[in-house]
Amino acid sequence: MSEAQWTSASFVTFAPPMPTSLFTTLAIVLLSIGFVLASLLLTYEVTATKFNRKLSTELIYVIPASVFLGFGTIFLFLSNGIYV
Amino acid sequence: GIVFPYPEEQVQTKQQSVKFYGNVYVSSPYKIETLKTIVKVKTDINGATKFDSKSTDKLVYGPYQDLEPFQNAPLSVHYVDNRPILKFKTLHRHLEVSHWGNNLWVQEDYQLFHNGAKLKGHFSRLDYQFTASAHHNTNVLKELKFTLPRKASEVYYKDQIGNVSTSRFRNERTKSVLELKPRYPLYGGWQYTWFHGFYVPLSDYLKYSRAENTYLLRVPFVSSLPDVPIEKVFLRVVLPEGASDIQVKTPFTVDKQEQTLHFTYFDVSGRPTVVFEKNNVVDEHSLPIYVTYKFESINLIKKPLVVVAFLIVFFLLSMVYARLDISIIKDQAVERDALLRTYRTKVSVIIKQSSIIFQNLDSIFSEFKAKQQLEQFKSKRQDIEQEVAAVEKQLSEIEKVFDFGKDASVTTPLLKIQQQSEKAFVKNVRDVMKFLTTKLNKQKSMQNDVVTFLMDSQNGDIDEKRKTALTASLAKAETEIEELDKNLKKISVELNK
């Protein structure tokens, strides 16, 4: 029965969510943007004093930096053969 | 029929002979009228049960007449066969499905046992090397040839020590061939344990039905060497995290089948895994098994989000660390230095803002020169004067912050140095205030001169002498304003150091 399922028309070949050739480019691009944002966060932390450090500006750096670095790491793993 | 090595032990340099045990007649439930048994042996025959005739590679038994059902007479043929009789004691086969990478990872851990004539005596490396041309006349195993799928890639061959470099891999038109050489030649009674693996495109093994929203995975149960039985097979099929409603169909019964969780890269809740166990697996078991599961695509995003969450926690911890103050005594010098640095940045921002205000002043004056609307110009200039007054107020308040009063509180050398920096800063602030007011007044007087000249010239009085005097005074004022701008810039550079 399952062989019939395999050959039936209702089952189509699996297609991945995105073409695998994009992995290296995406990894490099996302990680570079992420590192730039992370270094902006670092400079803000170093130059701000306890009187003028604001949580809102910190979060504006932290959230995008984490998102870009997070997605960049996943594509880094995928581009190097660790298919997570 | 059954084949045994006989003699059961053999020296390194001699041939292996095997004994075949069978039935002279056919084990049939019917009476047999005539029967002739022909045994074909391609190599040398050492001995056999009494046969009736013989030709080059055949032994003929019979013809026999009128046999009873299930009649049975032992047939044994003892002949030379140097092919190593192999078996795998265990095989651990691991299949991992990755939707992100469109990839199926296969890894097989083998434990190979040479089941032929056991090596008698010790192994002599010298004899082994000198008799290299005669290895085909002994039962030594030097190389194994595995057939992998055509699109296999990233093939590796390792054992407990590490990578085994004695291997060859090639992609052919219909299949791929992996030729493995164990680390040492295998003689009878010897074992070798290793693992090898490869990647293969998932789209060759996985299909999707949109109507039922299920994925169908079709993979062979085993795919190893022909004619080599496996005593115990452990098959593990790892499905992506978030797979649910898993159904399995096997073409034959398995001894054990259960669903567990497997944890690997970036997993939070674990990957559903189906684990099979089966004893005594042969070539006929290389049939496909089918696994169906439901998988929502939203689960794919879980992987990057795990990393993002981890990084946010990391950055939050660093924010906490930046704010952490574990000093026992409040250090005056450090506190005052922090305050000074705060206001330094504020004042440099104020200087930048003031340059924008003065640019606005220039632009409204050019507007007046173009449109000659005096009242509009005067009211706009009033607004700008108010802005400058507000800036001056900010600066004077900043000046007040650093009025710490008694000098007696300054005791340590660090505090004395700090006090010097603060005094320099306050002087800078006062200078900025002075420069801004002077600049504004000069601009205003310049502009008023030009306005009166333009008003008079409209009435018709253009005195050449007056014109030259005006241009001279304007030039002088310009240089003075440039001087002020230079000073302001110097101060802002000093503040940013």
Side-chain angles (χ1 to χ4, degrees), chain B residues 10-22:
Chain B
Q10 185 55 284
V11 289
Q12 183 181 328
T13 45
K14 291 252 172 71
Q15 289 180 335
Q16 170 179 269
S17 302
V18 298
K19 236 188 195 174
F20 167 79
Y21 289 106

Side-chain angles (χ1 to χ4, degrees), chain B residues 306-326:
Chain B
V306 164
V307 190
V308 170
F310 174 78
L311 284 169
I312 288 180
V313 166
F314 170 73
F315 284 132
L316 283 175
L317 284 173
S318 75
M319 278 158 64
V320 165
Y321 172 74
R323 287 168 166 76
L324 206 60
D325 181 18
I326 51 171

Side-chain angles (χ1 to χ4, degrees), chain A residues 3-22:
Chain A
E3 185 62 34
Q5 272 185 312
W6 181 260
T7 46
S8 76
S10 68
F11 276 91
V12 292
T13 318
F14 168 74
M18 70 166 62
T20 55
S21 48
L22 291 179

